[in-house]
Amino acid sequence: MYSTIDLHSHSTESDGQFSPTAVVARAAENGVTHLALTDHDTVTGIDEALQAAMSHGLEVIPGVELSSQWNGRSVHIVGLNIDPEHPALTEALSALGRERDQRAEKIAERLEKLGFHGALEGAKRFAGGAVVARPHFARFLVDAGYVKSIQKAFAKYLGKGKAGDIKPAWPSMADAIHCVKKSGGIAVLAHPLSYDLTRTKLKSLISDFSDAGGEAIEVVSGDQSRQEIESLAMLAQEFHLKGSCGSDFHVDNAPWQELGRTPPLPSQCIPVWGDWAWPL
Ligand code: MN
Ligand code: MN
Ligand code: MN
């Protein structure tokens, strides 16, 4: 049995493969009744997704996935039910955009030094107007014949500790949470098991998240085992946080992150959507 609620997905407005319309259509096809579009640091796809939702008979929840940092680590905060036009959000997103642009320029400089000419222009072609990020550089390197695969591009040039691994100066996690709340949304800690933390550090992250006003954690996220879901459900209970559920859909042919293919939220969790005025 799958969850019909999917509160984490990406489109071409960030690093996803499909347009907002195509994401909505695919979600509907997969039986999703409630979909949040949560592109990285942008809300530019939301209008299109809301439009598409009307012809596909599902509910689209305006969302965003904000880059932030906690204790020197990159942490993602999903904002659900945000007002995409709220000035606090608009301001935070333009600052994040500038940060991403600067990071892309630095990555390009590093790649140029390695002899990969035209890296920035090349990556921009794959970004198609969206913010340039490492996956776009990876596609450029593959396309130009410098490496055989995206995986190799990351392993040799873009991944952790490699030349193109530029640490961005994201805002603090607390700032990201405040921004979501100011814009009328609910702050959710995205994929808590993806940060490579010990159990103790994970608890300290969740505790700080909660203290800063965060209200829910993703108990169900793409590519998690039954045990991982159970353990996150217990952490949510321990810290009196609600649970969210989302695939983190990006691309075709990644069944572990497919729209509408995550298990449902465990019954002991208080769903993040509990108070929302939804026709469920
Ligand atoms: Mn992504
Ligand atoms: Mn993420
Ligand atoms: Mn994501």
Side-chain angles (χ1 to χ4, degrees):
M1 189 179 78
Y2 297 127
S3 172
T4 61
I5 296 165
D6 192 329
L7 301 180
H8 191 149
S9 68
H10 297 274
S11 75
T12 43
E13 296 300 304
S14 62
D15 58 351
Q17 182 183 351
F18 300 102
S19 70
T21 301
V23 172
V24 170
R26 189 180 178 112
E29 214 167 279
N30 288 356
V32 173
T33 56
H34 298 80
L35 172 77
L37 184 68
T38 56
D39 275 309
H40 295 285
D41 303 327
T42 183
V43 292
T44 49
I46 289 174
D47 273 349
E48 186 185 319
L50 287 168
Q51 279 293 318
M54 292 198 266
S55 45
H56 288 281
L58 82 172
E59 196 91 7
V60 161
I61 294 98
V64 68
E65 182 172 16
L66 294 177
S67 305
S68 76
Q69 57 182 328
W70 173 81
N71 283 354
R73 285 167 197 273
S74 181
V75 167
H76 289 174
I77 300 299
V78 162
L80 296 176
N81 245 341
I82 44 154
D83 168 7
E85 280 161 20
H86 195 284
L89 186 62
T90 308
E91 200 179 303
L93 293 178
S94 49
L96 282 162
R98 287 193 296 275
E99 179 56 34
R100 278 183 178 269
D101 286 345
Q102 282 170 12
R103 184 185 183 212
E105 281 163 27
K106 282 185 204 155
I107 294 172
E109 255 171 55
R110 295 273 189 92
L111 293 177
E112 291 281 345
K113 275 192 191 141
L114 291 171
F116 304 133
H117 299 300
L120 191 56
E121 286 316 304
K124 273 185 183 163
R125 276 205 307 278
F126 290 107
V131 182
V132 179
R134 283 184 298 172
H136 305 124
F137 283 105
R139 285 170 70 184
F140 156 74
L141 290 173
V142 173
D143 186 61
Y146 293 125
V147 284
K148 287 225 160 61
S149 67
I150 301 283
Q151 285 80 358
K152 287 234 164 71
F154 272 89
K156 291 175 90 168
Y157 305 114
L158 297 164
K160 207 170 178 202
K162 304 299 170 188
D165 177 25
I166 303 284
K167 295 273 173 290
W170 302 132
S172 72
M173 176 173 74
D175 283 349
I177 294 168
H178 297 154
C179 169
V180 167
K181 292 177 77 96
K182 262 192 240 163
S183 55
I186 290 186
V188 181
L189 179 63
H191 40 64
L193 297 181
S194 73
Y195 307 118
D196 262 341
L197 298 170
T198 61
R199 188 84 181 163
T200 312
K201 286 221 172 104
L202 177 59
K203 281 193 174 192
S204 136
L205 167 65
I206 295 175
S207 161
D208 287 355
F209 170 80
S210 170
D211 288 348
E215 288 175 67
I217 65 172
E218 281 183 352
V219 168
V220 177
S221 174
D223 201 21
Q224 284 183 171
S225 68
R226 199 14 84 191
Q227 288 93 317
E228 288 173 323
I229 293 172
E230 290 304 324
S231 109
L232 286 168
M234 268 153 61
L235 283 172
Q237 272 187 313
E238 183 180 337
F239 289 92
H240 306 288
L241 292 165
K242 295 173 184 170
S244 188
C245 170
S247 61
D248 206 359
F249 173 75
H250 283 75
V251 294
D252 199 14
N253 287 322
W256 58 92
Q257 283 187 324
E258 183 56 71
L259 290 162
R261 291 293 175 268
T262 51
L265 199 62
S267 54
Q268 74 265 39
C269 284
I270 300 165
V272 67
W273 57 85
D275 302 334
W276 299 353
W278 279 1
L280 272 173

